[in-house]
Amino acid sequence: MDYLQMFICIILTVLSVLLVVCIIQNYRIQNKMQTNEEELLDNYRRLKEAYDKEAEEKRVLTERCEELIRSKEHMQKTAGTDYLTGLPNRFEYTEHLKEELRDMKSDGLLGIIDLDIDNFRNINDSYGHFYGDQTLCEVTRRLTRFVLERDAYLARVGGDGFSVILKDFSERAELEAQVVQLLNYLKDPYHIGEREFMLTLSAGVVVVPTDGTNEQTITKNVDMAKFFAKASGKDTYIFYDDSLDRSVTEKLELQTEVRKAIEDEAFEVYFQPQIDLATEETLGFEALVRWNHPERGVIVPSEFIPVAEECGLIVPLGEFVLRESCKKLKKWQDEGCRQVVAVNLSARQFKDRESMDNVMRIIRETGINPKQLELEITETMALDDLDYAINTLQKLKQLGVSIALDDFGTGYSSLNYLKRLPVNQLKIDKSFMDNVLEDHSDQKIVETIIALAQALNLVVVAEGVENSAQADFLKSVSCDKAQGYLYSKPLREKDMLGFLQTN
Ligand code: C2E
Ligand code: MG
Ligand code: MG
């Protein structure tokens, strides 16, 4: 082998070795790369998993967040919406009113009308809550129609209370015309289920800015106006003015005076005779309260009974009259007097179980013969809760007391309740007697009440008999008894005893 061949051989060997080394190195590198790649893949997988997890969590959170936003929106909506009528409720109304006040132009006017259904409780009580709800929906439908035809806003602000905000008027007279129109529209007969009935509403009205510029003052004044609309006999509207504020103050003062007069025993019971029309004999007396005022002299009940009734003072006052009447009756009974004493019960007294317990206690405690005591209630008092009235009157009758229905003919005069009420006597209201000689309808009403009483075995008394022609008419239609100035005005005890002796 020559050098060249040796050289080539060495070169080849070196190259082979290098090749082997390269192959090994390459294998190693490849191996490492594969390991790295696997590691990378592994890392990638882990990262992806972590990412997916995060993404899922984010998705759940986003969904929850959207749900919360939706429920918040729903809550906001329902918090501001009345569930029955779908109208804005008081909360929403207040917000809206504030907004209207903020956006009001300097020469702008707003009319706020607060409406209340008169005697709505009667519908619920007599026909049930379904009819009550349907009535509210029908009132809502009519009001909605009214506001849609105008630039107006409507809300249900209480059980049977609605508020309307009106903008399209330029003077008070125009607003008044709209209120009249609205109240008349609400008076059309209601057909709910198979029933047809009439409704009336009372409204308080405030003009902004004249009667207030902030939400609190406006609400207070419109409430007051509505209160006066109700107090003045319902089915009407009253615009707020300062005199209402004054009359509230006067009323509060009168309440304080009445409270003090009860403490000072400044009340006195007078007695007005009730006469047998056939024999002219005095059969009994009605106890009528008078206030001996230190400055104003003797004050008649119409000036203080309504206020006392409103603030609850009628309860102690009524108890005073009953106790006084029973004490005097006991004394007269012991002296051999056979006359009956009739005492008026107020609506508050009659409705309150505790007061009625007191009434029964006074009757027992004073030791009277209850046969000579009569209690007078009005039709409206009895009708408010017929079952309660029947129950309470039965308890009184068990004591031996008799019951008269006062002012008969001025309330509902439903034959159905009259049949069920355990009463002994009907008192024909004075208003029918006033024109009984001239007014043919009044004559017929009086005759009908007498016939009705006779059919039901009840005694009839005519109130407010002022002249003998009226008494003759009553005799001709077989009325049992009469009470009135013809015989005597209400008298102090001493004069009453004198009257008994001379008659
Ligand atoms: P009432 O129970 O219907 O009493 C009859 C009223 O008519 C009495 O008025 C009586 O004075 C009046 N009157 C009777 N005859 C005539 C008449 O011929 N002409 C005229 N113009 N009036 C006549 P008074 O005493 O002013 O009482 C008014 C009402 O006040 C009573 O009406 C009764 O509802 C209520 N009242 C009186 N005293 C009491 C009481 O002690 N408790 C309660 N809760 N109410 C009472
Ligand atoms: Mg009476
Ligand atoms: Mg009467």
Side-chain angles (χ1 to χ4, degrees):
M1 196 185 313
D2 60 14
Y3 284 113
L4 183 65
Q5 280 177 322
M6 244 174 85
F7 179 74
I8 289 170
C9 220
I10 288 166
I11 292 289
L12 280 173
T13 309
V14 168
L15 279 174
S16 301
V17 169
L18 275 175
L19 187 64
V20 169
V21 167
C22 271
I23 286 170
I24 290 170
Q25 205 56 24
N26 187 32
Y27 175 76
R28 272 203 192 137
I29 287 170
Q30 275 209 355
N31 227 356
K32 196 159 182 189
M33 270 178 67
Q34 198 171 348
T35 319
N36 279 351
E37 202 173 295
E38 270 168 18
E39 259 174 36
L40 268 173
L41 262 173
D42 226 32
N43 281 344
Y44 169 76
R45 248 182 260 117
R46 256 184 274 124
L47 272 172
K48 177 135 185 1
E49 261 170 34
Y51 172 81
D52 286 349
K53 203 171 156 205
E54 287 273 310
E56 177 61 13
E57 276 172 9
K58 190 176 168 225
R59 191 187 63 75
V60 171
L61 271 174
T62 315
E63 251 176 32
R64 181 93 191 92
C65 206
E66 279 168 1
E67 208 175 284
L68 279 171
I69 291 169
R70 271 197 305 275
S71 84
K72 189 181 158 208
E73 279 170 359
H74 178 71
M75 271 166 68
Q76 268 174 345
K77 205 169 163 206
T78 47
T81 308
D82 168 53
Y83 74 97
L84 178 69
T85 58
L87 291 177
N89 60 17
R90 179 173 280 285
F91 168 78
E92 186 61 32
Y93 164 78
T94 311
E95 293 306 307
H96 183 87
L97 177 60
K98 284 184 198 159
E99 241 169 69
E100 289 279 7
L101 295 172
R102 261 198 311 270
D103 301 346
M104 231 177 125
K105 298 201 181 84
S106 58
D107 59 345
L109 283 176
L110 278 186
I112 316 285
I113 311 164
D114 239 27
L115 297 142
D116 231 61
I117 304 177
D118 295 331
N119 306 319
F120 181 65
R121 235 196 80 198
N122 286 352
I123 295 178
N124 272 335
D125 289 353
S126 317
Y127 304 148
H129 283 265
F130 169 77
Y131 281 91
D133 284 356
Q134 293 306 307
T135 307
L136 288 170
C137 291
E138 177 56 22
V139 170
T140 303
R141 204 182 58 73
R142 293 186 193 190
L143 285 168
T144 308
R145 194 136 135 231
F146 179 86
V147 296
L148 282 178
E149 288 164 3
R150 295 160 175 83
D151 188 5
Y153 172 88
L154 167 68
R156 182 183 176 200
V157 292
D160 58 349
F162 297 85
S163 267
V164 174
I165 304 179
L166 265 178
K167 285 197 273 190
D168 58 351
F169 67 98
S170 53
E171 57 181 37
R172 197 187 129 126
E174 230 179 280
L175 173 63
E176 188 163 356
Q178 301 222 30
V179 174
V180 172
Q181 205 183 335
L182 174 61
L183 288 178
N184 283 337
Y185 176 45
L186 290 165
K187 258 192 238 175
D188 287 347
Y190 287 74
H191 303 271
I192 311 273
E194 279 147 26
R195 293 183 193 277
E196 182 183 321
F197 52 87
M198 311 286 275
L199 272 190
T200 59
L201 283 93
S202 300
V205 191
V206 151
V207 181
V208 181
T210 327
D211 306 324
T213 47
N214 65 58
E215 175 255 327
Q216 284 100 332
T217 314
I218 291 168
T219 308
K220 176 182 92 49
N221 291 348
V222 80
D223 262 358
M224 190 184 292
K226 189 174 67 183
F227 169 82
F228 276 88
K230 291 253 176 208
S232 65
K234 303 175 180 168
D235 185 18
T236 188
Y237 62 92
I238 285 193
F239 273 71
Y240 171 83
D241 77 66
D242 295 348
S243 69
L244 299 186
D245 260 334
R246 275 198 302 280
S247 92
V248 168
T249 316
E250 278 164 18
K251 197 191 279 177
L252 287 175
E253 282 167 7
L254 185 58
Q255 282 176 9
T256 315
E257 269 200 275
V258 171
R259 182 169 288 121
K260 194 167 171 302
I262 295 177
E263 282 164 17
D264 297 349
E265 299 185 358
F267 289 102
E268 184 179 346
V269 183
Y270 278 48
F271 298 91
Q272 187 178 32
Q274 291 181 345
I275 309 295
D276 184 327
L277 275 163
T279 64
E280 305 258 307
E281 197 188 335
T282 306
L283 297 177
F285 299 92
E286 176 170 8
L288 295 160
V289 70
R290 298 287 180 268
W291 179 2
N292 294 320
H293 196 278
E295 285 124 40
R296 293 168 57 199
V298 179
I299 303 183
V300 292
S302 55
E303 289 190 42
F304 58 87
I305 293 259
V307 165
E309 179 87 49
E310 212 174 283
C311 68
L313 283 170
I314 191 71
V315 173
L317 181 58
E319 286 177 10
F320 162 80
V321 174
L322 179 66
R323 184 169 281 112
E324 276 295 295
S325 305
C326 286
K327 274 201 236 162
K328 292 191 195 301
L329 176 62
K330 171 72 182 143
K331 196 175 79 189
W332 306 331
Q333 280 177 342
D334 290 347
E335 289 162 4
C337 160
R338 288 175 288 109
Q339 273 75 17
V340 169
V341 172
V343 179
N344 291 283
L345 287 185
S346 76
R348 278 247 189 164
Q349 250 180 315
F350 187 69
K351 274 182 210 153
D352 183 52
R353 284 168 210 272
E354 208 180 305
S355 307
M356 286 316 291
D357 286 345
N358 282 347
V359 164
M360 294 186 215
R361 196 165 41 78
I362 293 169
I363 296 170
R364 281 194 220 96
E365 274 176 12
T366 45
I368 53 157
N369 174 1
K371 293 219 156 28
Q372 278 171 257
L373 179 69
E374 185 169 77
L375 294 175
E376 294 190 3
I377 63 160
T378 61
E379 305 173 71
T380 353
M381 274 154 69
L383 199 68
D384 253 5
D385 183 346
L386 193 56
D387 290 331
Y388 169 78
I390 292 172
N391 209 337
T392 311
L393 295 181
Q394 258 155 3
K395 280 191 206 154
L396 290 168
K397 288 194 86 172
Q398 275 160 17
L399 279 181
V401 172
S402 60
I403 310 293
L405 266 192
D406 204 358
D407 307 341
F408 190 76
T410 56
Y412 296 92
S413 307
S414 146
L415 301 184
N416 184 39
Y417 85 75
L418 193 57
K419 189 182 75 184
R420 293 179 58 200
L421 278 176
V423 296
N424 308 78
Q425 187 160 286
L426 297 187
K427 297 189 76 178
I428 304 176
D429 191 64
K430 179 179 172 299
S431 57
F432 299 112
M433 292 312 300
D434 288 342
N435 302 310
V436 77
L437 298 176
E438 307 86 44
D439 189 324
H440 185 69
S441 312
D442 281 347
Q443 272 173 27
K444 285 288 158 210
I445 290 173
V446 171
E447 282 178 39
T448 309
I449 296 177
I450 294 169
L452 179 67
Q454 283 167 350
L456 294 171
N457 243 338
L458 304 173
V459 175
V460 202
V461 189
E463 291 186 278
V465 182
E466 293 183 342
N467 57 57
S468 45
Q470 288 172 332
D472 289 342
F473 166 74
L474 289 168
K475 281 182 208 162
S476 76
V477 290
S478 306
C479 182
D480 300 302
K481 297 198 255 175
Q483 175 182 343
Y485 293 175
L486 171 64
Y487 309 99
S488 167
K489 289 198 166 181
L491 303 167
R492 288 204 144 104
E493 182 189 8
K494 182 170 62 68
D495 300 328
M496 182 279 261
L497 293 173
F499 177 89
L500 254 190
Q501 269 167 7
T502 50
N503 290 274

